[in-house]
Amino acid sequence: MSDWTPEAGTPPVSTPEEPDPPQDGPVADAPSFEPAEPAPLGVERTPTGRAEVDALLERLADADHLPADGHTEVYEDVHRGLKDALTSLDARPAAAPGPPRPGPTPAYDNTHDHRS
């Protein structure tokens, strides 16, 4: 062991038998630049009672297992489906084909009646 001590203000120097002291600051707290693994958001989906809409909302769960750059495709697909479902609510049902409706009865014209 040595009797040598550093002067005040001098950073400590480690010797081969001593481990380096933990460092504070930017090196110890350096952020990781690796993307985080996909994780479910845990958003609860309340059933709407319309099978088509409920299926689209369940499709959102597919994004839980994709990296962020894959979310756009799922969101656009669900948005398109919901838009179509809303548009279909505004459409009037087509008239069912049936027998022709009788029109007005023509007035009897006896001018061409040539009976004698």
Side-chain angles (χ1 to χ4, degrees), residues 102-114:
T105 309
Y108 182 71
D109 183 8
N110 63 2
T111 57
H112 294 21
D113 191 359
H114 300 288

Side-chain angles (χ1 to χ4, degrees), residues 6-90:
E7 295 179 18
T10 305
V13 177
S14 61
T15 59
E17 57 269 22
E18 295 179 55
D20 288 335
Q23 295 185 2
D24 292 331
V27 175
D29 299 330
S32 170
F33 294 104
E34 294 298 317
E37 293 294 319
L41 296 175
V43 177
E44 292 185 33
R45 293 168 194 85
T46 304
T48 64
R50 294 187 54 95
E52 178 185 13
V53 172
D54 290 340
L56 288 165
L57 294 177
E58 283 301 315
R59 169 109 166 82
L60 289 173
D62 293 347
D64 288 345
H65 309 290
L66 297 172
D69 60 352
H71 291 189
T72 303
E73 181 180 341
V74 173
Y75 295 154
E76 286 177 350
D77 183 44
V78 171
H79 179 260
R80 190 177 315 109
L82 291 172
K83 185 177 175 183
D84 290 346
L86 285 172
T87 302
S88 72
L89 294 175
D90 290 337

